[in-house]
Amino acid sequence: MDTLTRKPFVFLRHGQSTHNQLQRIAGHLDVQLTDQGRQEAYHASQLLNQKVWPLVISSPLIRALETAQIASGRDPDHQDARLAERHWGELEDNPVPRAMHYRMTPPGGEPWEDFVTRTIAGLNDALTHDQIPLIVGHSGLIRVIRHLSNGEPSGPRTPNARPLLIQPVNQHQWDISLWHPNT
C-alpha cells in the first residue's frame, strides 16, 4: 500500500461545476464552475483568507484552478496533474449512479490502484513543505484518504468549497473535519 506523509493539510474541493449541477460524472472532463460554484469559492475565501497560505496547490482542471484563485485570492503556487480527478473513462459525462463502485476499473478509465498511487505521490510532494498547504482539488482525493484510513473509499459526498482539515490520527488513520480559521 502507498504511504501518505503523516502531516496535516487543508483540502478544498472545487465549487459547484456544471456537471455537479447536472448530476453528471465529470472526471477528467475540464468543466467550468457555475455562478453558484464561484459564490461557494468566494464564501470559502472568507474563511481561508483569515490565514496567509504559504503554499497553494491545485489540480490543473479549470473547476479546481478557478476555485483556488477565488478562494485564496491569488494564482496557485503550483498546479499538479497528479491531483486531478480520477479518469472515469466511458462513465464520464453520464449521470452519477446511485452507488459508485470506486474500486472497479471503469471501461476505458483509470484503475483505482493507479488513481490512489498518483494522488498520494502528488500529496506527498505537497507535504514536503514545513507549513500546512492548501490543496484544491476533487472529491476523489477524500476517497483516497478514506481508503488509506479505513480501507474503504465510500462515504458521504464531499461538499463543494468547504475547507477541510486533514490530519493524521495515528499510524494508519486520518481525521477529516471542517477547517476553522482559528485552527
Side-chain angles (χ1 to χ4, degrees):
M1 178 190 283
D2 298 294
T3 303
L4 180 58
T5 301
R6 310 299 294 171
K7 289 173 70 176
F9 61 96
V10 173
F11 171 69
L12 183 68
R13 180 183 180 204
H14 60 79
Q16 182 191 61
S17 71
T18 55
H19 272 50
N20 292 149
Q21 184 179 49
L22 298 171
Q23 297 182 1
R24 299 183 83 75
I25 298 172
H28 264 225
L29 296 175
D30 210 6
V31 300
Q32 300 286 323
L33 290 179
T34 62
D35 288 341
Q36 178 180 328
R38 288 181 192 89
Q39 290 172 353
E40 291 168 343
Y42 176 76
H43 177 71
S45 77
Q46 302 303 298
L47 295 173
L48 293 171
N49 285 336
Q50 301 296 319
K51 176 180 173 73
V52 176
W53 293 97
L55 181 64
V56 177
I57 299 175
S58 173
S59 156
L61 295 176
I62 193 67
R63 59 194 185 269
L65 181 58
E66 187 177 1
T67 298
Q69 291 166 332
I70 294 168
S72 70
R74 63 186 175 93
D75 286 335
D77 298 292
H78 183 64
Q79 295 176 43
D80 191 330
R82 295 171 297 178
L83 299 175
E85 183 59 281
R86 182 179 182 185
H87 192 296
W88 284 94
E90 294 176 19
L91 298 180
E92 291 187 0
D93 204 28
N94 284 295
V96 175
R98 206 172 255 206
M100 291 289 283
H101 302 285
Y102 298 112
R103 292 176 191 262
M104 70 154 207
T105 300
E110 183 175 17
W112 172 251
E113 297 80 16
D114 294 354
F115 175 63
V116 169
T117 297
R118 81 164 160 88
T119 301
I120 290 173
L123 286 171
N124 281 340
D125 280 354
L127 295 173
T128 61
H129 301 271
D130 292 333
Q131 305 256 337
I132 295 177
L134 171 63
I135 298 173
V136 184
H138 310 273
S139 62
L141 185 144
I142 294 297
R143 288 191 294 276
V144 168
I145 299 297
R146 287 183 187 134
H147 169 76
L148 294 175
S149 192
N150 62 25
E152 180 54 51
S154 297
R157 291 219 179 263
T158 305
N160 292 95
R162 295 285 306 274
L164 300 173
L165 176 62
I166 314 295
Q167 55 188 342
V169 174
N170 56 39
Q171 186 177 4
H172 301 289
Q173 292 187 312
W174 292 82
D175 180 63
I176 303 170
S177 59
L178 287 176
W179 184 82
H180 299 283
N182 56 356
T183 301

